[in-house]
Every structure is written in C-alpha cells, then in structure tokens.
Amino acid sequence: MAKAFDHRRWIPAPLLPRQDGRDASLVFVIAVLCFLACLTGIGGLGADRAAQGWGRQLKGSATIIVRSTISQVPDAVADQAVQVLGQVPGVKSAIAQDRSEAEALLAPWLGQDSVLQNLPLPRLVNVQLDVLKPATSESMANALKAAGLDVTVDDHTLWMKDIGRAGDMARGLAIATFALMALSAAAVITFATRAGMSMRHQIVELLHLTGAQDRFIADLFQTRFAIMAFFAGFLGAGAAAGLAAVVRTLGGAEGLTPVLPIAWTDLLITLPCPVVAALVAALAARLTTLGLLRAMP
Amino acid sequence: MSFCPAAPASPVVNSAVPSEKPPTVRFRDVGLRYGRSPEILRDISFDLEPGSFHFLTGASGAGKSSLLKLIYLANRPTRGQVQIFGQDAQRMRPKDLPGLRRRIGVVFQEIYLMEHLNVFDNTVLPLRIAGQNPQDYRNDAAELLNWVGLGRRMDAMPETLSGGERQRLAIARAVVGRPSIVLADEPTGNVDHEMGLRILRLLVELNRLGTTILIASHDQDLVARSGMPVMHLDGGRLSHSQSPFQPDLGAEPMGAGDI
Ligand SMILES: Nc1ncnc2c1ncn2[C@@H]1O[C@H](COP(=O)(O)OP(=O)(O)OP(=O)(O)O)[C@@H](O)[C@H]1O
Ligand SMILES: [Mg+2]
C-alpha cells in the first residue's frame, strides 16, 4: 500500500504531461538530423584539412629551371643560381640537382648515351620557401635575371588556386548543409510544438485563464523541447562520433581516403551538437508558443 | 488566514447595499456575437457589488457561459463596456491581464482539470502560476481540500474521482488563490441534488468571507432554495429578480465533516 499523502512533503509535479506519444518519433527525427549535421561537419573538416595539406606542400616550395648556353658550365650556372637565391628574402634553402640527377630524369627518353655528355642539360633547383613569408616567383625571377641567368620559375601558384577553390567549396558546402540541417531541425521542432500545443490546448488555455504570463507558459514548452532536443542531439552526435571513430580507426591518420583525412580532434565538433540542438529547439518552441498565445484574448 | 468558515471575515454584503468601492463587475450596453451570427447577448447592463451573490439563469444556449467568459476575460464584447475591478476590459494592457485573471476564480462548465496532475497539484495550480512559495500555501491548500471533503484523496488522479469530487476539486482550485470574485458555471451540473446543495453551501460560506459570487445554473430548485438574487437571460437580454423563496439550505453550519 502507498503511504498516505503528506502535503508537507509534496513536490510540485511538472505542469506538462511527462509522456507524449509523439516524443519518440520526434526524438528520432531530431537525432537523425543531428547525426547528419555532425557527419557533414566532420566531413567538412576533413576536406578542409586535405585542401590545406596540399596547399601547404605546394606553397612551401618552388622549382626553378636554369638553362645554360654552350659556353657555360651547367653545374656552375646552377650553383650561381643557388647562391643568388640564397640572398632572396623568403627563401629557406635552395638545392641544385647535379648532372647525374638531370641525366636520370632524361634517361627514359634519351638513353644513357654519350649524346648526353655533350648536351647542355638544364638544371633544376628545388627551393624551400619560408612558409610564413614565402618569396614570390617575381622576386626570385628578378634576382636571377639580374645575375644574367636564364631561368623559369614555377611556384605552383596555378595549382594553389585550384586547390584553394576546391577547399573553399568543400567548406562552403559543409556550412550550407549544416545550416540546412539546423533549419530543418528548427522547422520540425516548430511543427512539433504546434502539434503539442494543439494536443495540449486545454492545458495551455487553463494556464492562460488562470493568470499565467505568456512567458511562464513559453518557459514550460521551451524547457520541455530543449531537454528533448538535447537528448536527441546527444544520440545523433554520439552516433556520428562513433561512426567517425570507426573510420579513423580503420583508415589510420588518412581516414578511409586521402581526400578525407579524419583526426581524432575532429570528433570534438560533435560536442556542441546537443547544446545547439537544445538552443534551436528552445527558440523554436518559445517563438511558436508566444505566437499562439498572442492569438488568445 | 484560514479557510475554516467558522469566523466570517466580513459581514455579508448584498448587491442591495451600495458600496464606495467600484463594482467588482460592471456591464454597460454590452453586446456579443460570435462571427457573423446574430447577437447572443444584447444591451446587457448590470453591476456586481463587492461581496454580492447572484445567480445567472437562462435556458440552455441563452448565453450564460458567454457572459461569464466576458467577465473572466476569455472573450471581448463586440460592443458596450465591460469593467472588472473598476478597470475597462477594452483598455487593459496585455501585460496586466494575468494579474487581473488571478483575482478571478473560475469553475468552468467543462471543469478542465489537469488529468496528469493529482488532486493536490490541481488545487494549487493558481498559486504555482502566481509564483508563490509552496511552503506558504501547502498547509492552506490541504486545509481547503479537507474543507471540500477531498482530504483523503489529495494524491488521487482526476480520472479516479467521481463527478461530484471533480466538481469540488474544480471549486477548490477556483478559490485557493483567494480571488475577489468566483464565477461558477453550472457548479452543480454533474451531481445529484444533495451534492448540489452541499456545493451551494460551500459557495455561500465563501461569500460570507467576502468573496463576490456569480453562479450560472439552470437548476431552478437550487436557485429558489438559495434565496439569492437572480439575473435571468432570455433572448439575449437580461432581467433581474429576487429569488421568490426564502433560503433553505439546511440548518447545520458547514464543517470539515459536512461534505
Ligand atoms: N465559441 C463559440 N463560437 C460560436 N458560437 C458560440 C461559441 N460559444 C457559444 N456559442 C453559441 O452561443 C450561444 C450561447 O452559448 P453559451 O455557451 O453561452 O450558452 P449557455 O447559456 O451557457 O448554455 P448551457 O446552459 O447549455 O451551458 C449558443 O447558441 C452557442 O452555440
Ligand atoms: Mg454554459
């Protein structure tokens, strides 16, 4: 037998019914939206990292072709170029390929014949640039030309632009998808609040007529939907983090593909998801409730 | 202050006795229509003085509930003037409405209980809404529930209550916030004659404590036995009359064991 009711130990019950049939499906929908949003976020981070990685590799180096005339000694010309480049600000180091390396590069086409012995082969100089303040191709070319050298400078700018564009696109797409997910979640919650309010219309009306401020009623619905969305966000974000963790474990540092490298720290972006979901839900529920209450006399 | 009615807080004031305070309710040439229908209420004018006790009678569909809704600010008149506590209903600012509603206790015709809350939680709803501290009201609320005979059902869920118990719970909820006026829409609608009398005695007791009372009812016998003034709705218009009979509510005073 239950003990007799003691009003001195009474704890006020929640004013809104704890169970509502719709909640399970609503939790599911919001969890799925959060799951997809988190996956989008992790994918976006991976794409961004891939783009930045390639960009960094390309940005940090340049290749310079040094041609020599018949009267010049190619290796000496290359050494001169290395010395000139050493003076250019923004150059960390410059290394000239010697003849054997140049021959090795050409061997597949020309063979290891003695023909090569007499050809003035152009030399390649690999330049490592200061990543923070890299020398521009113009400054290097100008310095080399001033020294009377015949050179072509390739600082990979063309590639950089493409990769930068691809990275921006991946980032933009991730942000747009994420925003779309947040909006759908808000729309679903707004819909659910309306459904909940009409199902609980009598309760809302009773509270209203008993002298509850609109704020008071809005707080009830807001809290209720915020808690529900937090829980759903937790489930969705957890599932996304779990999936990403599996991908990271199976694929190593590169993820499943070098195009989408996943870092363990990427999983951290799922952390704010429950809070964001709760905030979106709270706002949607509050605005919906206040809007419906305003229509009451 | 106690809900125990043994010591009336103020003498009975009837509408016949004029008071310096503004009338609790004042209607002037009030008309009401729903949508494009003809007027449900026409040229309604009356005053309810503080501490008065009135019945509102009329056939089903005469507009009794509609008139009460105008008083408890659930609806606005289509024309005319409605004043509550001396304030013009049309000119009230939205942010003032909750405060005014808290001074009005309503027993709804449909009762409207929170089915997921127990008797005690249902009773104290207006106090929670008003933001009062549970420590300050839980004893009074328990006493009130004893007074309406629900002392042993405080943790019962509404669905397990009888029709009369639900009605008494609705009344307890209506009066727990010590409203200045209680509007009861068919408070004896779901109960037998004997229970109807008990509920009526309860409201009379509240009136003795100074609360203005307006009861909508088509229970002619109950109205007659109360001996209270009657406002009658017919064809959308209001006529006033004194109950033709002397009060006959039974001799014994109300007490905890009475109901
Ligand atoms: N919200 C509404 N919209 C449209 N018509 C309404 C509305 N409420 C009431 N009515 C109409 O107004 C008239 C008066 O209704 P009301 O409920 O005030 O009557 P009543 O005197 O309380 O009746 P009863 O004794 O049956 O409770 C009825 O004809 C009813 O159909
Ligand atoms: Mg009615």
Side-chain angles (χ1 to χ4, degrees):
Chain A
M1 269 302 286
K3 271 191 285 171
F5 180 78
D6 181 0
H7 66 269
R8 279 158 303 186
R9 298 219 181 143
W10 166 73
I11 297 164
L15 286 181
L16 292 182
R18 258 179 276 236
Q19 259 88 38
D20 268 354
R22 279 160 221 267
D23 278 6
S25 53
L26 188 60
V27 166
F28 177 75
V29 172
I30 295 177
V32 167
L33 286 171
C34 289
F35 172 76
L36 294 175
C38 284
L39 279 192
T40 316
I42 293 174
L45 280 182
D48 193 44
R49 177 173 305 107
Q52 271 184 15
W54 299 333
R56 207 168 20 246
Q57 282 169 16
L58 291 176
K59 212 192 229 166
S61 64
T63 311
I64 294 168
I65 303 165
V66 185
R67 284 172 290 268
S68 50
T69 56
I70 297 187
S71 63
Q72 290 173 314
V73 181
D75 283 340
V77 175
D79 286 343
Q80 193 193 346
V82 166
Q83 269 168 20
V84 171
L85 286 167
Q87 312 293 317
V88 178
V91 173
K92 221 157 72 183
S93 66
I95 298 167
Q97 290 177 345
D98 62 17
R99 181 168 181 93
S100 60
E101 282 173 292
E103 275 177 9
L105 280 173
L106 292 173
W109 290 277
L110 300 178
Q112 302 224 297
D113 268 350
S114 53
V115 185
L116 286 174
Q117 305 280 324
N118 303 318
L119 273 177
L121 289 181
R123 293 292 191 273
L124 293 181
V125 177
N126 289 325
V127 181
Q128 292 299 310
L129 300 172
D130 184 347
V131 183
L132 297 178
K133 258 183 113 186
T136 62
S137 56
E138 287 84 37
S139 66
M140 289 185 284
N142 289 342
L144 291 165
K145 274 173 192 151
L149 295 164
D150 176 15
V151 298
T152 306
V153 178
D154 173 13
D155 70 348
H156 313 141
T157 314
L158 218 64
W159 293 90
M160 290 288 302
K161 277 194 184 131
D162 279 353
I163 285 179
R165 206 175 307 128
D168 286 348
M169 224 152 85
R171 209 173 305 139
L173 210 64
I175 291 172
T177 315
F178 188 80
L180 212 61
M181 298 288 171
L183 282 180
S184 336
V188 166
I189 292 161
T190 307
F191 177 76
T193 316
R194 282 178 184 280
M197 293 258 311
S198 65
M199 200 164 62
R200 302 292 173 200
H201 193 264
Q202 198 176 302
I203 291 177
V204 175
E205 203 171 278
L206 179 63
L207 293 171
H208 180 69
L209 291 178
T210 311
Q213 311 264 12
D214 289 2
R215 252 185 299 124
F216 181 90
I217 301 173
D219 281 350
L220 292 178
F221 279 88
Q222 175 184 325
T223 310
R224 178 203 184 94
F225 280 96
I227 291 172
M228 196 258 317
F230 185 89
F231 176 65
F234 183 77
L235 292 183
L243 183 63
V246 168
V247 169
R248 174 68 178 77
T249 309
L250 293 181
E254 297 252 282
L256 278 188
T257 143
V259 180
L260 217 60
I262 293 175
W264 285 112
T265 48
D266 290 355
L267 306 195
L268 290 178
I269 73 152
T270 60
L271 273 185
C273 179
V275 176
V276 172
L279 285 178
V280 169
L283 193 69
R286 180 164 207 90
L287 293 180
T288 309
T289 312
L290 289 179
L292 291 177
L293 280 170
R294 217 164 287 133
M296 291 187 184
Chain B
M1 194 176 161
S2 160
F3 278 102
C4 181
S10 64
V12 179
V13 184
N14 259 328
S15 55
V17 183
S19 143
E20 321 82 54
K21 284 202 262 177
T24 308
V25 177
R26 165 168 284 177
F27 274 44
R28 285 293 176 269
D29 304 318
V30 168
L32 174 71
R33 66 170 85 236
Y34 290 106
R36 290 154 152 258
S37 70
E39 282 195 322
I40 303 291
L41 301 175
R42 273 181 250 164
D43 304 322
I44 307 278
S45 297
F46 67 91
D47 286 354
L48 296 183
E49 296 298 335
S52 63
F53 192 125
H54 286 87
F55 275 98
L56 178 63
T57 59
S60 180
K64 302 183 291 296
S65 300
S66 301
L67 193 149
L68 292 187
K69 277 179 188 158
L70 290 177
I71 302 177
Y72 62 78
L73 305 170
N75 208 349
R76 299 286 167 88
T78 5
R79 65 185 174 86
Q81 192 188 35
V82 172
Q83 271 186 15
I84 316 290
F85 308 125
Q87 294 193 47
D88 206 328
Q90 279 94 327
R91 289 203 209 123
M92 288 170 187
R93 287 172 299 176
K95 73 178 180 72
D96 295 334
L97 289 174
L100 288 167
R101 289 194 175 109
R102 287 174 198 175
R103 298 177 60 193
I104 305 170
V106 186
V107 182
F108 301 96
Q109 185 166 13
E110 303 82 358
I111 297 186
Y112 284 149
L113 298 176
M114 294 267 226
E115 298 296 330
H116 61 287
L117 296 181
N118 67 23
V119 166
F120 194 83
D121 275 295
N122 263 290
T123 306
V124 300
L125 181 68
L127 303 169
R128 280 180 73 177
I129 286 175
Q132 293 191 22
N133 183 351
Q135 302 218 333
D136 297 341
Y137 61 70
R138 56 189 184 191
N139 289 337
D140 281 358
E143 198 179 341
L144 172 63
L145 282 171
N146 277 322
W147 193 47
V148 299
L150 290 173
R152 291 168 186 279
R153 311 286 330 253
M154 287 197 268
D155 56 350
M157 297 310 279
E159 61 185 6
T160 67
L161 298 181
S162 74
E165 286 170 330
R166 290 173 69 90
Q167 207 115 39
R168 280 179 278 151
L169 171 53
I171 291 167
R173 182 185 62 192
V175 305
V176 74
R178 304 175 186 286
S180 310
I181 181 170
V182 170
L183 306 168
D185 200 347
E186 303 287 357
T188 60
N190 297 334
V191 297
D192 63 24
H193 185 71
E194 185 54 31
M195 182 58 73
L197 273 182
R198 287 179 175 194
I199 288 174
L200 180 60
R201 279 202 295 267
L202 202 148
L203 291 170
V204 167
E205 216 52 58
L206 272 173
N207 178 244
R208 287 210 183 118
L209 297 171
T211 312
T212 310
I213 308 270
L214 179 60
I215 305 175
S217 176
H218 43 212
D219 185 342
Q220 288 302 330
D221 181 64
L222 190 79
V223 174
R225 289 173 76 159
S226 77
M228 295 297 185
V230 175
M231 305 194 298
H232 185 72
L233 271 176
D234 190 10
R237 291 176 195 280
L238 198 64
S239 55
H240 302 254
S241 68
Q242 188 71 28
S243 174
F245 303 104
Q246 285 306 302
D248 177 18
L249 299 175
E252 79 277 20
M254 290 260 309
D258 190 46
I259 284 183

